[in-house]
Amino acid sequence: MANFSNPTFDTNLAGWNAGKLPSEVATPVAWYDASQETFSDNDAVATFSDRSGNARHLTQSTEANKPIFKTNILNGNPVLRFNGTTHEMATAGFTLSSPITSFSVHIWRSYINSYPSMYDGLNTNTLNYVYGGGVMTPYTGGFWGLSHGSAQDTPLFSTLVADGANSRIYADGLDLGAVASNNAVMGGVQLSHAFGSQWSNADQAEVIFYDTSLSVENIALLSSYLSLKYAI
């Protein structure tokens, strides 16, 4: 029997498996990628640059509060390491409201606080991605009725779609379902710190925000890209 060959099909399949870059599925409103930074190992980081083109850079001017750049952590890619006690970064204020799609690639190093946050939107009904009670769960003025496990020292990429009536969580590309939630209104982006003194002891590799509910297809394409990039 002759082998099946269809160059167009083969090209499309290869493209699907490779996924798409964050800027190819839609236009990010904020995008932070440690692999595009040029710091040396163990450098304290004052600015985590926004790659969306909107200049919404994450900054920290206090030396003791700056995260540490660590090289070759996730499949050869670097991360920003937050110490769980003082390290945090934030943007200047800007408004981002539901629908919002966010992606986060990170590793929890330890859970030394009750509700440490990977990121927070600096508002009451903010989009906050927080660890508590043994699971990761989103918060938009109230905790969502969906959550997922997040093992210590295990890389994870997660996707949140916050659109109120049909909010969803994906963990490592797997759709965990939909739930009704409050609409999110973000006043900016903050990494590591939320809920008072609840800092995260974690490595952050990449964080992306969109001002739309990405389609299932585009979530799958970006998930393929992140999975290959970080070998998750």
Side-chain angles (χ1 to χ4, degrees), residues 75-122:
N75 196 35
N77 295 290
V79 299
L80 269 64
R81 179 161 292 173
F82 294 83
N83 66 1
T85 55
T86 59
H87 292 172
E88 60 183 349
M89 306 189 87
T91 66
F94 68 93
T95 300
L96 178 60
S97 302
S98 292
I100 302 168
T101 303
S102 64
F103 289 78
S104 175
V105 182
H106 57 269
I107 307 172
W108 284 104
R109 292 303 180 185
S110 67
Y111 304 115
I112 60 177
N113 293 307
S114 299
Y115 291 100
S117 175
M118 285 312 305
Y119 56 77
D120 172 61
L122 301 171

Side-chain angles (χ1 to χ4, degrees), residues 2-231:
N3 291 327
F4 171 81
S5 180
N6 183 316
T8 300
F9 175 83
D10 292 344
T11 298
N12 290 342
L13 180 61
W16 179 271
N17 289 336
K20 286 188 176 181
L21 294 168
S23 57
E24 293 176 329
V25 298
T27 302
V29 296
W31 174 17
Y32 311 98
D33 179 3
S35 71
Q36 296 190 55
E37 301 291 349
T38 57
F39 302 106
S40 297
D41 193 40
N42 291 320
D43 279 353
V45 178
T47 301
F48 196 4
S49 297
D50 176 16
R51 304 297 171 175
S52 73
N54 292 315
R56 292 167 173 156
H57 309 304
L58 288 154
T59 62
Q60 178 55 259
S61 58
T62 301
E63 196 66 27
N65 297 349
K66 294 176 182 178
I68 303 301
F69 192 76
K70 299 298 296 182
T71 59
N72 197 28
I73 300 297
L74 265 173
N75 196 35
N77 295 290
V79 299
L80 269 64
R81 179 161 292 173
F82 294 83
N83 66 1
T85 55
T86 59
H87 292 172
E88 60 183 349
M89 306 189 87
T91 66
F94 68 93
T95 300
L96 178 60
S97 302
S98 292
I100 302 168
T101 303
S102 64
F103 289 78
S104 175
V105 182
H106 57 269
I107 307 172
W108 284 104
R109 292 303 180 185
S110 67
Y111 304 115
I112 60 177
N113 293 307
S114 299
Y115 291 100
S117 175
M118 285 312 305
Y119 56 77
D120 172 61
L122 301 171
N123 231 329
T124 301
N125 276 19
T126 184
L127 180 60
N128 185 306
Y129 187 42
V130 63
Y131 179 89
V135 296
M136 292 295 299
T137 188
Y139 177 91
T140 48
F143 289 107
W144 294 12
L146 283 173
S147 59
H148 64 85
S150 182
Q152 186 173 317
D153 295 323
T154 301
L156 174 75
F157 74 86
S158 55
T159 309
L160 307 183
V161 181
D163 71 355
N166 193 37
S167 296
R168 308 188 77 89
I169 303 177
Y170 297 76
D172 291 341
L174 178 65
D175 185 355
L176 302 182
V179 65
S181 71
N182 296 326
N183 285 316
V185 181
M186 299 178 70
V189 176
Q190 182 171 245
L191 296 188
S192 169
H193 186 199
F195 294 106
S197 300
Q198 305 299 318
W199 290 273
S200 61
N201 187 0
D203 293 348
Q204 186 74 66
E206 194 158 353
V207 192
I208 314 160
F209 294 91
Y210 298 92
D211 60 354
T212 185
S213 296
L214 289 186
S215 68
V216 172
E217 177 182 348
N218 279 333
I219 288 174
L221 285 166
L222 185 46
S223 294
S224 291
Y225 164 78
L226 293 172
S227 179
L228 285 171
K229 178 177 179 179
Y230 294 105

